[in-house]
Amino acid sequence: MPNNYLVSRRHFLGYSAAAAMAATLPGRVFAEEHMAGMQMPGDLLQGGPGKWALAKPTHVRLAVNLNAICLAPVVVADQHSFFKAHNLEVEFVNFGNSTELLLESIATGKAEAAIGMALRWLKALEQGFDVKLTAGTHGGCMRLLARDGGPTTLEQLKGKTIGVTDMAGADKNFFSLMLKKHGVDPNTDVDWRVFPQDLLPMVLEKGEIQAASGSDPVMWRLTQKQGYREIGTNLMDEYAKLSCCVVGTRGSLIREQPEVAAAITHAILQAHAYAAKHPEAIGSEFNGQALNTTPQEIASVLKTHTHGHYSVGNAFVNEIDVYARDLKAINVLRPETDSLLFAKGITSNVLV
């Protein structure tokens, strides 16, 4: 596949329809020169490993949060031979929610690759970690909720208190930039308070906060209960067409063994594509790994995500550019950072 192919899929009927839809999204980076004269590229994920299968079995360490439902397709990938088919012998390294330790593990050679949330990684990557992002894997998994009778829109959160689990969390960053886009300054117009995720429903009910931001499955579970309403998710506005989780590999791996980085990336994307079509199977297989949930709940959560979406190449650069641009607007990234150059500098198109 030529380097300048722009590859990004989300179960749509045709490339022209997708381009027309993207053109209507406010602020969407979708360069016209990439579209001119192009045809719909073949789906990278159809069939087996294809040219990305390694010549011999290769041991790799993959750093993940083994309890994250949105990563369930990867955690159970070998039950469907996605890694094995690529001749990858994967050892999972569980770093939980610690982004800094996870990125450090890749940069220092303790793992070859990792999966995490773009909005949590970009600030760290701005500091110079030797890590390259190779693909966006899916969208969804963060929600902003309120009680019935409380705020119903982002605009109505002005002057209110929002509960979060981490002041540097991906969900806090995402809803901060969404508030900014809806005319609410996230640094001066709202008050952010930190609570353990399990306490968010209680403090929300008591009125100590007027909205709560967090990740699935806890936040999805609240949407199923009476008395709660969903103000937004990270699949709202233009972000409905973007990935939230990304694959990162050690920079030296791409320089020295690009075929291994490609095999890891392709296998992970195939696992997510499978989850989009078979959420019940993933739910059953992942249930033993997850905490305080059921196969049915896992499958229901996965259905609200966009595991049928992936982005690589120029499409992925454009997605990271959007995030970087908006993180600058809320003072997460440095104001002098050129978002497009930054996106190009921290990504690598290994599936060529």
Side-chain angles (χ1 to χ4, degrees), residues 134-260:
T134 60
T137 64
H138 74 280
C141 74
M142 297 185 289
R143 304 175 196 274
L144 181 66
L145 304 181
R147 293 283 296 175
D148 285 349
T152 60
T153 66
L154 293 169
E155 290 84 354
Q156 291 177 6
L157 287 171
K158 187 171 184 177
K160 302 296 192 295
T161 300
I162 304 174
V164 294
T165 60
D166 184 349
M167 289 296 285
D171 58 299
K172 196 263 186 179
N173 283 340
F174 178 78
F175 291 111
S176 291
L177 65 85
M178 288 307 305
L179 286 167
K180 184 77 172 180
K181 286 177 173 290
H182 286 256
V184 181
D185 190 319
N187 298 312
T188 60
D189 290 339
V190 298
D191 182 31
W192 302 90
R193 294 185 61 189
V194 176
F195 297 91
Q197 185 158 257
D198 289 345
L199 291 183
L200 285 175
M202 183 183 71
V203 294
L204 186 59
E205 187 172 349
K206 291 173 62 178
E208 293 183 33
I209 58 177
Q210 287 72 57
S213 167
S215 58
D216 293 334
V218 172
M219 302 309 284
W220 177 86
R221 200 172 291 149
L222 288 180
T223 67
Q224 307 304 299
K225 294 184 177 180
Q226 289 187 345
Y228 292 90
R229 68 172 75 235
E230 192 173 79
I231 299 175
T233 75
N234 61 328
L235 290 176
M236 63 190 304
D237 295 359
E238 64 180 302
Y239 300 93
K241 302 298 177 183
L242 273 64
S243 308
C244 68
C245 285
V246 295
V247 181
T249 63
R250 195 170 68 244
S252 61
L253 182 72
I254 291 178
R255 293 188 293 272
E256 298 166 9
Q257 296 178 288
E259 71 282 1
V260 176

Side-chain angles (χ1 to χ4, degrees), residues 2-333:
N3 289 347
N4 65 340
Y5 262 38
L6 186 141
V7 183
S8 188
R9 170 175 61 83
R10 187 190 293 271
H11 296 306
F12 43 63
L13 296 179
Y15 190 72
S16 59
M21 180 182 297
T24 67
L25 297 171
R28 178 72 167 104
V29 179
F30 203 90
E32 292 182 2
E33 59 267 25
H34 292 155
M35 298 163 55
M38 288 185 58
Q39 296 178 348
M40 179 63 177
D43 192 331
L44 292 176
L45 307 186
Q46 293 300 312
K51 67 178 183 179
W52 294 286
L54 298 173
K56 60 181 180 180
T58 303
H59 177 265
V60 297
R61 293 156 298 179
L62 183 61
V64 295
N65 178 356
L66 288 174
N67 302 123
I69 284 183
C70 68
L71 298 184
V74 179
V75 176
V76 301
D78 255 348
Q79 292 176 240
H80 300 279
S81 297
F82 291 117
F83 289 131
K84 292 175 184 176
H86 287 77
N87 250 334
L88 292 168
E89 298 174 348
V90 173
E91 173 189 349
F92 288 110
V93 183
N94 188 10
F95 278 93
N97 290 318
S98 177
T99 296
E100 291 72 21
L101 286 176
L102 188 146
L103 287 173
E104 182 183 357
S105 74
I106 313 175
T108 59
K110 297 175 184 176
E112 280 65 54
I115 308 172
M117 304 197 78
L119 281 170
R120 189 66 188 264
W121 283 20
L122 295 190
K123 179 61 180 178
L125 292 179
E126 189 187 40
Q127 310 305 311
F129 279 98
D130 186 23
V131 173
K132 296 289 187 181
L133 307 182
T134 60
T137 64
H138 74 280
C141 74
M142 297 185 289
R143 304 175 196 274
L144 181 66
L145 304 181
R147 293 283 296 175
D148 285 349
T152 60
T153 66
L154 293 169
E155 290 84 354
Q156 291 177 6
L157 287 171
K158 187 171 184 177
K160 302 296 192 295
T161 300
I162 304 174
V164 294
T165 60
D166 184 349
M167 289 296 285
D171 58 299
K172 196 263 186 179
N173 283 340
F174 178 78
F175 291 111
S176 291
L177 65 85
M178 288 307 305
L179 286 167
K180 184 77 172 180
K181 286 177 173 290
H182 286 256
V184 181
D185 190 319
N187 298 312
T188 60
D189 290 339
V190 298
D191 182 31
W192 302 90
R193 294 185 61 189
V194 176
F195 297 91
Q197 185 158 257
D198 289 345
L199 291 183
L200 285 175
M202 183 183 71
V203 294
L204 186 59
E205 187 172 349
K206 291 173 62 178
E208 293 183 33
I209 58 177
Q210 287 72 57
S213 167
S215 58
D216 293 334
V218 172
M219 302 309 284
W220 177 86
R221 200 172 291 149
L222 288 180
T223 67
Q224 307 304 299
K225 294 184 177 180
Q226 289 187 345
Y228 292 90
R229 68 172 75 235
E230 192 173 79
I231 299 175
T233 75
N234 61 328
L235 290 176
M236 63 190 304
D237 295 359
E238 64 180 302
Y239 300 93
K241 302 298 177 183
L242 273 64
S243 308
C244 68
C245 285
V246 295
V247 181
T249 63
R250 195 170 68 244
S252 61
L253 182 72
I254 291 178
R255 293 188 293 272
E256 298 166 9
Q257 296 178 288
E259 71 282 1
V260 176
I264 294 170
T265 301
H266 191 256
I268 288 171
L269 294 182
Q270 282 199 320
H272 279 283
Y274 179 85
K277 295 182 178 180
H278 307 282
E280 286 82 7
I282 299 296
S284 296
E285 293 153 2
F286 184 70
N287 188 54
Q289 184 70 46
L291 301 175
N292 302 319
T293 187
T294 66
Q296 294 75 22
E297 182 177 72
I298 296 168
S300 296
V301 171
L302 291 175
K303 289 176 183 178
T304 70
H305 301 168
T306 57
H307 294 276
H309 166 84
Y310 69 87
S311 57
V312 297
N314 289 332
F316 187 45
V317 170
N318 289 342
E319 291 191 3
I320 298 300
D321 179 24
V322 171
Y323 279 127
R325 177 202 69 197
D326 291 343
L327 288 174
K328 282 176 57 179
I330 59 171
N331 302 319
V332 172
L333 296 186

